Amino acid sequence: MNFESLVERLAENHNVDGLLFLGSTGQSTLNAYSDRDLLIVVDECHLAVTNGTVFCDDILIDLVIVTRQAVEDLITAELGSISLSDSRAVYFNWVLSGVIALDRCGCLERLRNTLERSESRPKLTEGEVVSRANHALYNLAQTRRMSGSPDSVYQQAVDLRMLYQLSDLMVDYFNLRGLPWRGEKEAIRYWRCFDPGYIDLFMCCYWERDRVQRVRLYTELVSATIEPAGFRWDSDGANFVLAAPKDMTRENLRRAQQFWQSLVSRKR
């Protein structure tokens, strides 16, 4: 079965209320190497299914499954309160840029109209911004510590850490600037157009094989990534993590430092 036949079968099923082509699917950018991204709105789903994958003629199909009620709830939601870390934030991009292939009850078009009229776009809260910057700085501190050891295990651990640390920075770059993460290809297109210096630095760090030089480049990359957060560790004091990222505000961190001082101060 090919992708077109899959769409036809889904459209014939009365439990399917809507179909939305996502990403390059249905767009002029679709090519022989593209996957297909399909959002399916169903009236009923008795399991908490959210995503799926299927192959059609050896083409990878990414499925996103959502109930009609969830779409209706988003239409009436307070859009300004939705954080970029909220799972619903992706609908701002999906619905506004996607191609509606089926909209039996009109909920997708109503959601699109609602999003188009809204002046709000999801972004991270202050606490979430500080939390991501704090996480990047923590990774940097640990990597610099380990890179100073002559132990080969420590040195190889630095190589392994780079795998996820660079991955984290890719997403953090966009989220800290109030932009949704849309995948590696879109990231490359964005950087080439708006921040070529960043992708040059990123790729230099990625390809560098001298560990000392790589850690130096990684230090620069962390600084460039978290720059919008305006957050740095206070080298003269302790730093803390609050249980919920949204609570990682500068005021709460100041209070945490005061609490720490109350624990370690000498009693007179």
Side-chain angles (χ1 to χ4, degrees):
M1 180 168 56
N2 59 30
F3 179 66
E4 290 72 21
S5 298
L6 172 66
V7 171
E8 289 178 4
R9 291 193 185 186
L10 289 169
E12 292 170 356
N13 192 310
H14 291 290
N15 190 37
V16 176
D17 190 78
L19 296 170
L20 181 70
F21 297 156
L22 309 175
S24 61
T25 307
Q27 307 281 0
S28 60
T29 53
L30 188 71
N31 60 58
Y33 301 99
S34 300
D35 61 359
R36 305 292 189 274
D37 300 289
L38 180 63
L39 183 144
I40 307 171
V41 182
V42 296
D43 284 331
E44 291 183 323
C45 185
H46 301 295
L47 292 173
V49 178
T50 58
N51 297 84
T53 306
V54 66
F55 284 91
C56 290
D57 285 349
D58 292 327
I59 294 176
L60 180 66
I61 316 296
D62 277 332
L63 306 173
V64 180
I65 300 175
V66 63
T67 64
R68 179 185 171 190
Q69 186 59 54
V71 175
E72 298 287 357
D73 289 345
L74 185 56
I75 293 172
T76 59
E78 180 57 51
L79 300 181
S81 66
I82 297 178
S83 165
L84 199 54
S85 63
D86 191 311
S87 61
R88 296 173 297 173
V90 295
Y91 287 92
F92 282 77
N93 175 50
W94 284 348
V95 176
L96 290 175
S97 64
V99 177
I100 297 176
L102 175 70
D103 197 12
R104 212 183 298 278
C105 297
C107 65
L108 287 174
E109 190 61 42
R110 291 199 306 277
L111 178 57
R112 173 173 287 175
N113 292 336
T114 298
L115 297 179
E116 287 177 340
R117 291 195 303 268
S118 174
E119 296 180 357
S120 300
R121 289 293 181 268
K123 60 182 181 180
L124 297 183
T125 64
E126 178 197 358
E128 290 169 330
V129 166
V130 171
S131 178
R132 291 313 305 168
N134 178 73
H135 181 70
L137 291 169
Y138 177 82
N139 278 341
L140 174 60
Q142 290 285 26
T143 296
R144 293 177 71 174
R145 172 186 65 82
M146 296 172 70
S147 67
S149 171
D151 190 329
S152 63
V153 171
Y154 277 64
Q155 293 298 316
Q156 285 191 311
V158 168
D159 294 339
L160 294 180
R161 290 180 64 84
M162 283 294 179
L163 296 175
Y164 63 83
Q165 289 177 162
L166 291 177
S167 178
D168 282 351
L169 291 183
M170 281 195 300
V171 179
D172 284 343
Y173 176 96
F174 290 91
N175 286 176
L176 291 176
R177 288 159 176 79
L179 302 171
W181 169 252
R182 296 176 178 173
E184 297 84 2
K185 297 190 298 295
E186 286 302 313
I188 292 169
R189 295 186 182 108
Y190 180 92
W191 287 325
R192 285 180 175 178
C193 184
F194 298 107
D195 201 347
Y198 184 85
I199 191 172
D200 287 346
L201 176 60
F202 192 100
M203 298 312 297
C204 282
C205 182
Y206 176 82
W207 288 111
E208 182 59 56
R209 289 298 171 256
D210 180 83
R211 290 192 183 96
V212 173
Q213 177 68 354
R214 195 179 197 199
V215 172
R216 184 188 69 78
L217 291 170
Y218 175 63
T219 301
E220 293 182 25
L221 192 62
V222 169
S223 179
T225 302
I226 70 172
E227 188 273 333
F231 174 76
R232 295 290 186 276
W233 281 1
D234 180 0
S235 60
D236 295 327
N239 189 65
F240 297 94
V241 175
L242 279 73
K246 66 181 179 61
D247 293 333
M248 283 279 291
T249 63
R250 291 168 176 81
E251 174 59 24
N252 282 344
L253 290 180
R254 184 187 65 80
R255 293 170 58 191
Q257 289 166 352
Q258 289 178 335
F259 173 70
W260 172 250
Q261 286 301 317
S262 74
L263 296 178
V264 300
S265 295
R266 290 182 179 276
K267 301 299 182 180
R268 295 183 179 178

